[in-house]
Amino acid sequence: DRSVRPTQIGPCRLISAPRAQSILIPLVLLWLAGNALRLTILAVPPVIPLIHDDLHLSQTQVGILTGLPSLLFAFAAVPGSLLIARTGAVAALVIGLAVTAVGSALRGAVNDVLWLYAMTVVMGIGVAIMQVTMPPTVRAWAPQRIGFATAVYTNGLLIGETLPVALMIPLTLPLVGTWQWGFVFWSVPVAIIAALVLLLAPRSTTAAVRRRWWPDWNDPLIWRLGIMLGTVNSMYFGTNAFLPDYLTHTGHRELISAALTALNVGQLPGSFILLAVAQRLEMKAWPFVAAGALAVLATAGIVFGSGYVIVASAGLIGFAAAFILIMALALPPLLTAPDDVHRLTAAMFTISYGVAVIVPVLSGATWDLTHIPASAFAPTALCGILLMVLAPAIGRLRRWTA
């Protein structure tokens, strides 16, 4: 039919205009859901000095605050897989979005650290559910373009990490007045996204199929991939957590916004590069090793540098973290059967965020024990080294084939 003009979406792919229109809404919803994965979490680092002063937190308590979401990502990943099995991916996604919005908005309702911890737990459960729903949602909404749709929601995730960090201090706080209302501000978009998914999500036309949901914990691949992903999560969340107070204690408070923005914006170049070369790097070990080495060098730049060397080093950590994250999330569908991807993914999240919750607490405890601000970044550097040790085995694994 000559009346249907082909539309190009992505490299060397032609699809009809009606089909392009039919996939547009799912892709937009995936991108928005990706944003919601991080908007509320990354509203915290810019205001940690304010929370620290208002609630009289120790550095260990700061580490607990920033580590709690990762703890929930670990413990709620497998239950999230069960929720998908019982309700479906889209329903579970809406539930996760709603829980995230409510928990995040209530974090500042009571000026008490235990209340802040409790609502952070609620928010973390919501985000953990959302994370596990994304791969099956991609498969359901874009079965012919899984790689592209994954890149779309990952890009949304990175934007969601960047916006609150860049805008909380210069825009949100002057607008709403306090860090408590700042948390409410960043919860509103998540609630709107939940409503949009509920209203606009494509409806499934196939019968629900009951799948296995419990991971095979005896599989050594799960542990290797989980620890590798845990190193990048630890480097990223740990740097976000301690960079503001580190710069405050070392007399560089004016660099907080620039350094945190660089840390998060620095992830975007890594994601765009992988959009172009990801297929060439699949199942390769050297990119993991190179990114781990870069993270170690960048950590040294933060500790031993000054001025905008610190800002540039933070940006390099962001670049390395995004590179490792996207490559690691690409491994489950490459290494396991389609019906087992969600189980492997849930296990990876459980292990990786278990690692990620321990490292920030260790960083804070190291600072408290030594009274040396730079010591908080020692665990971050060790994570980069551990990644370099574990990664070479990736090159010896075999791609799954039907």
Side-chain angles (χ1 to χ4, degrees):
D1 184 355
R2 293 173 184 255
S3 65
V4 178
R5 287 186 160 296
T7 301
Q8 184 167 351
I9 295 182
C12 302
R13 297 292 300 272
L14 294 177
I15 61 178
S16 67
R19 184 178 169 191
Q21 293 170 2
S22 69
I23 201 174
L24 178 60
I25 290 178
L27 289 176
V28 171
L29 292 177
L30 286 170
W31 187 82
L32 290 172
N35 272 265
L37 287 170
R38 292 295 180 266
L39 280 176
T40 58
I41 296 173
L42 272 297
V44 174
V47 295
I48 279 179
L50 299 178
I51 300 173
H52 189 175
D53 293 341
D54 286 353
L55 302 183
H56 310 291
L57 304 183
S58 69
Q59 294 301 331
T60 300
Q61 288 176 308
V62 171
I64 293 172
L65 175 62
T66 56
L68 273 175
S70 298
L71 179 65
L72 272 301
F73 296 168
F75 282 106
V78 174
S81 178
L82 175 60
L83 181 63
I84 293 170
R86 296 294 182 264
T87 68
V90 175
L93 175 58
V94 173
I95 292 171
L97 286 163
V99 171
T100 300
V102 172
S104 172
L106 292 177
R107 283 179 293 178
V110 178
N111 204 43
D112 177 77
V113 65
L114 293 180
W115 175 268
L116 177 61
Y117 286 167
M119 292 302 101
T120 300
V121 166
V122 173
M123 178 195 71
I125 290 173
V127 177
I129 293 170
M130 291 163 56
Q131 287 191 146
V132 181
T133 67
M134 296 306 289
T137 302
V138 165
R139 183 178 295 278
W141 291 356
Q144 305 303 319
R145 300 181 62 80
I146 291 175
F148 179 70
T150 301
V152 167
Y153 94 74
T154 304
N155 178 265
L157 181 150
L158 297 178
I159 296 296
E161 290 178 343
T162 304
L163 289 178
V165 170
L167 301 179
M168 183 62 129
I169 292 177
L171 178 65
T172 306
L173 288 184
L175 182 65
V176 301
T178 66
W179 59 267
Q180 291 92 336
W181 281 107
F183 289 162
V184 175
F185 178 92
W186 289 105
S187 302
V188 171
V190 179
I192 294 173
I193 293 167
L196 291 174
V197 173
L198 184 62
L199 294 172
L200 302 178
R203 302 298 180 229
S204 175
T205 58
T206 59
V209 177
R210 183 176 292 270
R211 295 179 179 178
R212 293 182 299 172
W213 59 273
W214 188 253
D216 180 8
W217 298 107
N218 294 320
D219 186 353
L221 176 63
I222 283 177
W223 293 93
R224 180 176 295 274
L225 297 184
I227 294 173
M228 288 176 60
L229 185 58
T231 62
V232 62
N233 288 333
S234 299
M235 289 187 289
Y236 175 72
F237 284 115
T239 304
N240 262 299
F242 289 98
L243 193 54
D245 267 0
Y246 171 76
L247 293 174
T248 299
H249 281 76
T250 55
H252 297 292
R253 189 165 189 160
E254 74 282 358
L255 296 177
I256 291 176
S257 182
L260 287 176
T261 301
L263 174 63
N264 291 282
V265 173
Q267 297 178 100
L268 296 176
S271 69
F272 289 129
I273 289 173
L274 279 175
L275 284 174
V277 302
Q279 285 185 305
R280 301 178 189 175
L281 300 182
E282 286 177 356
M283 308 294 293
K284 300 288 195 305
W286 70 262
F288 288 98
V289 175
L294 179 61
V296 173
L297 292 175
T299 302
I302 290 176
V303 172
F304 298 108
S306 61
Y308 281 92
V309 171
I310 296 174
V311 176
S313 298
L316 289 176
I317 288 181
F319 177 89
F323 209 86
I324 301 165
L325 175 67
I326 297 170
M327 291 190 61
L329 290 178
L331 289 174
L334 290 171
L335 296 172
T336 191
D339 286 346
D340 287 330
V341 171
H342 65 288
R343 296 197 303 144
L344 177 56
T345 303
M348 281 181 62
F349 282 143
T350 299
I351 297 167
S352 67
Y353 285 111
V355 173
V357 74
I358 293 171
V359 172
V361 175
L362 289 177
S363 294
T366 302
W367 186 340
D368 284 339
L369 289 172
T370 64
H371 302 289
I372 300 173
S375 66
F377 293 95
T380 302
L382 290 175
C383 283
I385 294 171
L386 180 59
L387 176 66
M388 296 166 64
V389 172
L390 293 175
I394 296 299
R396 298 191 291 270
L397 297 175
R398 290 188 176 185
R399 182 191 303 262
W400 182 88
T401 55

